[in-house]
Amino acid sequence: MRIASLILLLTLYSMAHAQNPAFPLKRLSNKRYLADQQNKPFLINAATGWKIYTKLTLEEVGEYFQWRKKQGFNTILTQVCMHEDDINRYQQRPFSDNNDFSKPNDAYFNHIVAVNKMADTMGLLIVMSQPWQGCCLEGWGMTAEKPLQRNGEKKCYGLGKYFGRKFHSLNNLMWIMGGDQDPLGDRACIEAMAKGIFETAPHQYITYHAKPTHSSTDLYQYAPWLGISMIYTYWRDKPNAWVSSYPQMIEVYEMALREYMKTDIIPFFLGEAQYEGFEGNDIGTAYIARRQAYWTVLCGGMGAAYGDDTWYFPPDWREKQKRYPGGNQLKHFYNFFASLEWWKLVPDYKHEVLVKGYGEMTKTNYVTAAISSDSSFFVAYIPFQQSVTVDLTKIKSSMVSANWYDPRTGTYSLIGNYTKPDLFYFTPPTNDDWVLYLSGK
């Protein structure tokens, strides 16, 4: 039964293989984005399935992938392993002899290979972490007694080379170093592991998952192995004790603009932010999930990750995922930008196009906006019902078509066609978040 179901699943998705991205990804000439081997820019629309390797069987992984594909996701974030005592559904541990990195369990990692190959067949990018460093001593790092430092640089380097060889054939794979934390005392071990991966699998991009408000380039701007940057923050007024020991949270758009304006250009995406859910750290809403994604792309990023409180796959993960509206609404985010030459967008952070009504920087009423490099179209994400003023002369056309795009339903409504008065006022139709789309006719 297990083999038959897998064959059916793979057959269904192989029928659509021609539309899948041609992995591996590569850097575009503008250095800000990645594209597939057919030069099609890749917009990351990721779901955080962190514990798929330990919590799900291969059949259940296929079910999960199919569901996320249906929701419009094209990328899955995962962890090789999160906890020192992790064991997968086939009773396999990642290492033997008290987590000795020189003694990886091939059976455990063969399961990961099978999962990632399935993802490739479905056209999914996998962004997979090293053994998770951890924010709060739950992972593999932070103290001398934990496996990262206990194994030392030599074994960490050897494990990196093992990873590079084991997963070398997977063109749909990128790597995450770190995990919810800055390097701290684990720095030498993390860098050695990254070096091992980079030397044996240079076609697989590597990023770094820092603690909130830090990006990969804040820590490793000039590391030869860093190929893409990850930003990570929540929002300024997040009411949660877990982040009380961290620096002041900033809004996603603040961090994205900070990353965009760095002089050394590197592609970046929102790797983690607020998850959708009802308790603990995961107290986000569908609205928060939407705004995080739009903010990132309109501030120069190449996509965003969505999370909910099923990331660790509790017994009711299927039912909970179907209850959360944010996971379904992110397909509208993807479809909107995928219909445009989104990689041409230049953030309007100097307010040269949207000249009034852009809200207040550091507040959630701030309007993020961007215009294409050829001035043919303009996009603004308006988080509340607030009037904005746009200089239509910035769009190179004798006539401008204006539309509202509903990020909840993915529907357009025509505002009107204009013969370009200098300034024009737009007010969203309801007290919700809306996308303003202007294009030349």
Side-chain angles (χ1 to χ4, degrees):
M1 185 59 140
R2 174 185 176 191
I3 295 174
S5 62
L6 282 175
I7 291 174
L8 174 61
L9 190 60
L10 294 174
T11 301
L12 288 172
Y13 278 93
S14 64
M15 293 170 63
H17 191 69
Q19 289 129 14
N20 287 345
F23 295 122
L25 300 180
K26 61 182 180 180
R27 189 85 59 91
L28 280 177
S29 58
N30 68 3
K31 300 182 181 180
R32 292 198 177 277
Y33 307 110
L34 300 179
D36 71 5
Q37 293 298 304
Q38 296 177 349
N39 296 314
K40 182 179 180 181
F42 190 85
L43 177 66
I44 290 177
N45 189 28
T48 51
W50 291 118
K51 300 206 74 174
I52 60 171
Y53 303 131
T54 53
K55 291 294 186 177
L56 303 184
T57 66
L58 197 57
E59 295 91 340
E60 289 168 339
V61 169
E63 183 183 351
Y64 172 73
F65 283 167
Q66 189 172 18
W67 168 244
R68 289 308 198 193
K69 281 277 289 188
K70 183 178 179 181
Q71 291 184 303
F73 294 105
N74 62 6
T75 303
I76 307 294
L77 272 58
T78 68
Q79 298 162 327
V80 162
C81 43
M82 184 178 187
H83 305 292
E84 293 180 70
D85 59 352
D86 269 347
I87 184 170
N88 68 20
R89 290 284 294 279
Y90 305 103
Q91 302 305 305
Q92 298 157 344
R93 297 184 183 277
F95 307 100
S96 59
D97 292 352
N98 194 25
N99 289 318
D100 186 333
F101 285 175
S102 68
K103 298 179 180 180
N105 180 358
D106 259 348
Y108 180 93
F109 293 104
N110 286 341
H111 170 64
I112 294 179
V113 170
V115 168
N116 293 356
K117 283 184 175 179
M118 181 190 295
D120 187 34
T121 304
M122 297 184 181
L124 291 168
L125 176 68
I126 296 292
V127 186
M128 183 172 74
S129 84
Q130 63 165 78
W132 196 249
Q133 184 188 10
C135 69
C136 319
L137 297 176
E138 83 286 5
W140 295 67
M142 292 188 64
T143 69
E145 293 76 28
K146 290 280 188 172
L148 279 173
Q149 293 184 46
R150 192 174 71 235
N151 275 278
E153 288 182 58
K154 184 176 180 180
K155 288 185 179 181
C156 285
Y157 173 68
L159 181 59
K161 294 191 72 124
Y162 171 84
F163 284 157
R165 291 190 296 267
K166 171 63 73 173
F167 301 106
H168 188 275
S169 65
L170 298 170
N171 289 328
N172 66 323
L173 180 63
M174 295 196 329
W175 287 91
I176 297 172
M177 307 311 297
D180 254 340
Q181 190 54 265
D182 292 349
L184 304 176
D186 301 319
R187 178 179 293 275
C189 301
I190 290 172
E191 292 174 357
M193 196 181 304
K195 180 182 178 184
I197 295 171
F198 185 62
E199 288 178 355
T200 49
H203 58 294
Q204 296 170 350
Y205 279 92
I206 302 176
T207 188
Y208 188 91
H209 190 304
K211 71 180 182 181
T213 75
H214 287 174
S215 72
S216 311
T217 56
D218 288 338
L219 303 167
Y220 284 112
Q221 177 77 62
Y222 302 109
W225 46 263
L226 187 71
I228 181 171
S229 184
M230 175 187 286
I231 64 172
Y232 175 20
T233 187
Y234 292 95
W235 79 93
R236 283 184 173 268
D237 299 322
K238 178 178 170 63
N240 189 279
W242 181 77
V243 298
S244 62
S245 61
Y246 286 96
Q248 169 67 54
M249 290 296 124
I250 59 177
E251 302 295 342
V252 166
Y253 67 80
E254 293 180 79
M255 192 162 189
L257 284 174
R258 187 178 74 186
E259 195 73 6
Y260 175 82
M261 289 188 283
K262 289 181 177 179
T263 54
D264 293 294
I265 299 172
I266 185 172
F268 74 89
F269 71 104
L270 179 64
E272 275 205 288
Q274 185 56 59
Y275 284 21
E276 193 171 10
F278 296 102
E279 61 185 5
N281 188 48
D282 303 323
I283 54 173
T285 62
Y287 162 64
I288 291 176
R290 293 194 303 271
R291 76 185 187 192
Q292 292 172 165
Y294 286 93
W295 279 349
T296 302
V297 174
L298 292 175
C299 293
M302 61 167 290
Y306 162 84
D308 60 37
D309 62 6
T310 65
W311 60 268
Y312 61 99
F313 297 98
D316 60 346
W317 63 270
R318 297 172 182 83
E319 293 74 23
K320 292 184 78 171
Q321 286 180 3
K322 291 175 182 176
R323 287 203 303 265
Y324 291 142
N328 285 315
Q329 292 170 2
L330 267 292
K331 66 174 172 283
H332 306 314
F333 151 78
Y334 180 83
N335 290 340
F336 173 76
F337 284 109
S339 70
L340 307 173
E341 293 181 316
W342 60 270
W343 57 95
K344 291 184 177 180
L345 286 169
V346 179
D348 183 36
Y349 62 89
K350 293 182 179 179
H351 312 299
E352 295 173 335
V353 186
L354 198 153
V355 296
K356 287 184 180 178
Y358 43 77
E360 184 179 353
M361 177 66 79
T362 75
K363 304 296 184 183
T364 55
N365 71 348
Y366 184 77
V367 177
T368 53
I371 188 168
S372 64
S373 57
D374 60 4
S375 300
S376 64
F377 66 94
F378 170 82
V379 180
Y381 175 75
I382 306 173
F384 302 104
Q385 190 176 38
Q386 56 199 78
S387 297
V388 296
T389 303
V390 180
D391 182 355
L392 296 186
T393 65
K394 300 296 185 181
I395 298 176
K396 290 183 179 178
S397 176
S398 59
M399 181 176 287
V400 175
S401 177
N403 287 268
W404 291 116
Y405 181 77
D406 188 337
R408 292 161 296 284
T409 64
T411 56
Y412 290 87
S413 55
L414 178 67
I415 304 170
N417 297 313
Y418 307 98
T419 53
K420 295 182 62 173
D422 289 352
L423 301 176
F424 204 88
Y425 300 88
F426 297 94
T427 302
T430 64
N431 190 24
D432 298 291
D433 56 324
W434 287 87
V435 178
L436 177 64
Y437 173 56
L438 308 177
S439 62
K441 287 181 67 70

